[in-house]
Amino acid sequence: MEQKSLKRYGLIGRNISYSFSKKYFKEKFSAELFNDCTYENFDIESIEDFPNIIKNNPDLKGLNVTIPYKETIIPYLDKLSKKATLIGAVNVIRFTKKGKLKGYNSDYYGFKKSIEPLLQPHHKKALILGTGGAAKAVAFALEELDIFYTFVSREAGENSIDYNRVNITSFDNYQIIINCTPLGTKPNTKDLPPIPYEYFTPQHLAYDLIYNPAETQFLKKAKKKGATIKNGYEMLVLQAEKAWNIWNK
């Protein structure tokens, strides 16, 4: 009997040995009996190494993209979905039948679906901590949810304020605070974004894209003040399943 050829998938990123994706997809393939599928990490020092991954792995069917390449990978792709174009960041790559690389964004979908059930009528405005690829996907989701947002960054920019500007008035005006920075990720679990946590209240919703640890310092401090909290685990599951659908559509 002829053996079926393997369908190979993987993750592009830097320092990704503890990544969610590889473990998730390996368990998915095992549970759902996708015996002809594999998933592996492609840990690269620079985005300039990306073409070599493609050249040396001609049987790849799809890739995920993570920190720090969600934006810098775009010039290496042949085309983008409409939403990836609007967001300006890619976390899923599909290899088309013609061998082209098409970029998609499933982060925004995962975030939107996971935060929606927590939203209350008074949740009108959000502060997005960070300005990277994940923050852009979050911003796109908030636009679809009709929630006004402001980016917070280490340095003020055209579309962002710096952390020094976040004060009691900010917390009065913004009821949702979303951490899109890597601050607090294992093993650096003592790190946290520099905001005045004493101003969180039970009216606030604190969302952290980090899932490991399950409760970051950011979430612990918000919870102590009565805020509703949520980590990024469900978002990751939702975006992973969306990626699977994109690869196999």
Side-chain angles (χ1 to χ4, degrees):
M1 192 174 135
E2 192 184 342
Q3 191 180 355
K4 281 170 83 177
S5 61
L6 280 178
K7 292 178 183 165
R8 291 177 66 211
Y9 303 93
L11 175 70
I12 298 286
R14 193 196 298 151
N15 302 329
I16 51 175
S17 56
Y18 298 105
S19 123
F20 164 89
S21 299
K22 185 175 178 180
K23 182 173 182 285
Y24 182 81
F25 279 108
K26 283 183 91 168
E27 287 173 0
K28 176 183 174 68
F29 297 158
S30 174
E32 299 180 25
L33 302 179
F34 293 128
N35 300 324
D36 58 341
C37 296
T38 67
Y39 194 99
E40 57 211 275
N41 285 346
F42 296 99
D43 205 317
I44 55 176
E45 270 304 304
S46 160
I47 195 59
E48 289 165 15
D49 299 328
F50 177 67
N52 289 331
I53 301 289
I54 302 305
K55 194 170 115 191
N56 298 332
N57 299 277
D59 50 350
L60 278 170
K61 300 289 181 206
L63 289 167
N64 290 121
V65 185
T66 189
I67 291 170
Y69 302 129
K70 291 182 182 185
E71 296 157 288
T72 53
I73 201 149
I74 290 174
Y76 294 89
L77 305 178
D78 299 301
K79 47 187 177 175
L80 297 183
S81 72
K82 283 180 187 163
K83 284 187 173 166
T85 303
L86 290 168
I87 293 165
V90 161
N91 73 305
V92 182
I93 300 169
R94 184 167 74 91
F95 291 65
T96 68
K97 287 192 174 82
K98 291 180 179 171
K100 301 287 188 190
L101 303 182
K102 184 170 181 182
Y104 296 80
N105 192 298
S106 68
D107 278 336
Y108 93 90
Y109 169 85
F111 173 75
K112 184 182 175 185
K113 289 287 178 195
S114 64
I115 197 171
E116 235 169 340
L118 302 175
L119 295 174
Q120 303 288 335
H122 68 273
H123 290 141
K124 303 277 190 214
K125 291 168 127 188
L127 285 181
I128 302 174
L129 312 182
T131 53
K136 287 181 172 177
V138 163
F140 186 82
L142 292 175
E143 281 174 27
E144 289 197 339
L145 292 165
D146 206 23
I147 291 171
F148 177 85
Y149 60 85
T150 298
F151 288 110
V152 184
S153 187
R154 280 172 297 195
E155 290 177 18
E158 201 180 320
N159 300 313
S160 63
I161 61 171
D162 65 40
Y163 282 99
N164 295 330
R165 292 270 306 276
V166 181
N167 54 30
I168 189 166
T169 308
S170 313
F171 275 78
D172 284 346
N173 290 327
Y174 293 85
Q175 305 79 24
I176 308 167
I177 319 285
I178 305 155
N179 179 33
C180 298
T181 78
L183 291 168
T185 312
K186 203 172 177 184
N188 303 312
T189 54
K190 289 196 167 78
D191 293 351
L192 70 172
I195 59 170
Y197 291 88
E198 64 269 27
Y199 301 133
F200 271 107
T201 72
Q203 297 298 302
H204 285 93
L205 168 55
Y207 191 113
D208 201 328
L209 268 60
I210 294 166
Y211 72 96
N212 188 11
E215 260 189 38
T216 55
Q217 289 298 320
F218 168 81
L219 291 181
K220 281 179 181 171
K221 285 179 171 285
K223 184 180 174 181
K224 210 177 245 185
K225 291 291 181 179
T228 301
I229 65 165
K230 174 105 178 169
N231 70 22
Y233 184 79
E234 188 189 9
M235 172 184 170
L236 281 166
V237 170
L238 289 164
Q239 68 80 19
E241 287 300 324
K242 185 79 165 172
W244 179 250
N245 291 338
I246 289 167
W247 294 330
N248 294 284
K249 67 180 185 177

